[in-house]
Amino acid sequence: MSLFKKLQNVTSEEDVKTIYIDALKLKGVQKNLIDIQTKQVWFEAKHKPTNIYSMFTQLLYYVCHAQKKGDEIPPLLCVIDTEKAALMSTESIFPIFKDKKIKWGKSASQVSPELIASVSPYITDHFVVYYIEHD
């Protein structure tokens, strides 16, 4: 069964994570606040089709806080749902964390439309989208 067909039968975000972990043969996986973590890539996952900018804003919330704590940040960031995956280089968006006008808020799971609007110009040219059905 194709990845796309498997994703069409999911009922939860956990299903999406499991299917992608298996399909990508990810090793050394952790599942914490960040949906899927490896040393090479962090993922934000959704079980329904979701706006890429919303997903990346949520993931960047975690990157921002990890960077402030001095945690190791992976070279790649990825957002996934049942229809698509988008990938970006972490290094390409580091300037966003120097912008003092961006207010990251209190929770990654409740990113505001204002935060998404603030983050979007920083990331718009830095990710590639793959549509699972045909890419």
Side-chain angles (χ1 to χ4, degrees):
M1 183 182 298
S2 73
L3 173 60
F4 182 76
K5 287 190 187 229
K6 287 178 186 176
L7 289 167
Q8 299 318 293
N9 297 316
V10 302
T11 58
S12 71
E13 193 172 289
E14 287 304 314
D15 292 344
V16 173
K17 293 180 210 179
T18 299
I19 290 169
Y20 272 99
I21 289 168
D22 291 345
L24 297 172
K25 297 176 178 38
L26 296 175
K27 305 289 184 216
V29 172
Q30 293 181 1
K31 295 183 196 177
N32 300 310
L33 285 175
I34 298 164
D35 289 332
I36 303 170
Q37 285 180 273
T38 72
K39 288 187 178 199
Q40 294 80 25
V41 61
W42 287 357
F43 293 82
E44 177 61 33
K46 300 294 180 196
H47 80 282
K48 295 183 179 179
T50 304
N51 177 283
I52 290 170
Y53 290 93
S54 297
M55 290 190 289
F56 268 126
T57 300
Q58 187 172 349
L59 186 54
L60 289 172
Y61 176 94
Y62 294 123
V63 173
C64 177
H65 288 279
Q67 186 183 36
K68 285 179 183 176
K69 292 188 323 187
D71 293 345
E72 189 172 332
I73 309 295
L76 296 171
L77 301 173
C78 188
V79 296
I80 54 177
D81 65 22
T82 57
E83 294 182 347
K84 63 194 167 300
L87 189 66
M88 103 166 82
S89 161
T90 308
E91 187 176 304
S92 68
I93 49 82
F94 275 137
I96 195 171
F97 303 120
K98 294 178 183 170
D99 187 338
K100 301 296 184 207
K101 292 182 277 182
I102 294 179
K103 304 297 181 218
W104 289 99
K106 297 192 185 291
S107 171
S109 62
Q110 298 176 344
V111 295
S112 68
E114 295 80 19
L115 179 58
I116 295 166
S118 296
V119 168
S120 294
Y122 281 95
I123 66 174
T124 197
D125 294 330
H126 297 287
F127 60 83
V128 177
V129 181
Y130 299 93
Y131 293 92
I132 304 306
E133 186 173 23
H134 53 80
D135 291 342

